[in-house]
């Protein structure tokens, strides 16, 4: 086995260091929440059954405007469901901030 080839299948490295904090750019998207509605369709909610629900395109939601549930926010990689009484706001960094009504 002296001349046998070696194949590395997995390699794991852990490192500790100091890195600069990245500068995140704020973004602002103008418009109205209603302009981001793709369609209205029936959606089944556990507590209330079938409800006619606004379906939003996340990429078109304006910054710092409130979406009120029930609603669905769709994007390529995920779907966000808002139940009755919940709200959602897109912050200046593009994050979806949900208020679920629980204190």
């Amino acid at each position: 086995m002296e001349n046998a080839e070696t194949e590395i299948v997995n390699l794991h490295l852990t490192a500790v260091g100091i890195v600069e904090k990245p500068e995140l750019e704020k973004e602002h998207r103008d418009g109205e929440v209603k302009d981001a509605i793709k369609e209205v369709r029936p959606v089944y909610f556990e507590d209330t059954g079938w409800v006619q629900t606004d379906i939003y395109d996340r990429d078109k939601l304006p910054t710092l405007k409130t979406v009120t549930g029930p609603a669905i926010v769709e994007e390529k990689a995920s779907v966000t469901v808002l139940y009755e009484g919940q709200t959602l706001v897109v912050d200046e960094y593009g994050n979806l901030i949900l208020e679920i009504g629980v204190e």
Side-chain angles (χ1 to χ4, degrees), residues 91-102:
D91 73 7
E92 293 173 318
Y93 297 100
N95 299 304
L96 300 181
I97 308 299
L98 281 73
E99 294 287 334
I100 60 172
V102 176

Side-chain angles (χ1 to χ4, degrees), residues 4 28 31 52 61 74 77 83 92-93 96:
H28 187 80
Q52 286 296 110
L61 284 173
E74 295 182 335
Y83 289 86
E92 293 173 318
Y93 297 100
L96 300 181

Side-chain angles (χ1 to χ4, degrees), residues 31-99:
E32 297 298 322
V33 170
K34 66 180 179 176
D35 298 332
I37 295 175
K38 292 168 56 172
E39 64 179 324
V40 177
R41 67 175 178 245
V43 175
Y44 187 82
F45 291 91
E46 299 90 4
D47 294 337
T48 55
W50 292 100
V51 177
Q52 286 296 110
T53 305
D54 292 337
I55 311 300
Y56 293 92
D57 182 340
R58 179 180 177 169
D59 294 331
K60 294 181 180 177
L61 284 173
T63 307
L64 303 176
K65 301 278 178 94
T66 302
V67 175
T68 303
I72 304 283
V73 178
E74 295 182 335
E75 58 184 305
K76 290 181 182 177
S78 69
V79 173
T80 303
V81 178
L82 289 172
Y83 289 86
E84 182 73 36
Q86 296 179 339
T87 60
L88 173 147
V89 173
V90 179
D91 73 7
E92 293 173 318
Y93 297 100
N95 299 304
L96 300 181
I97 308 299
L98 281 73
E99 294 287 334

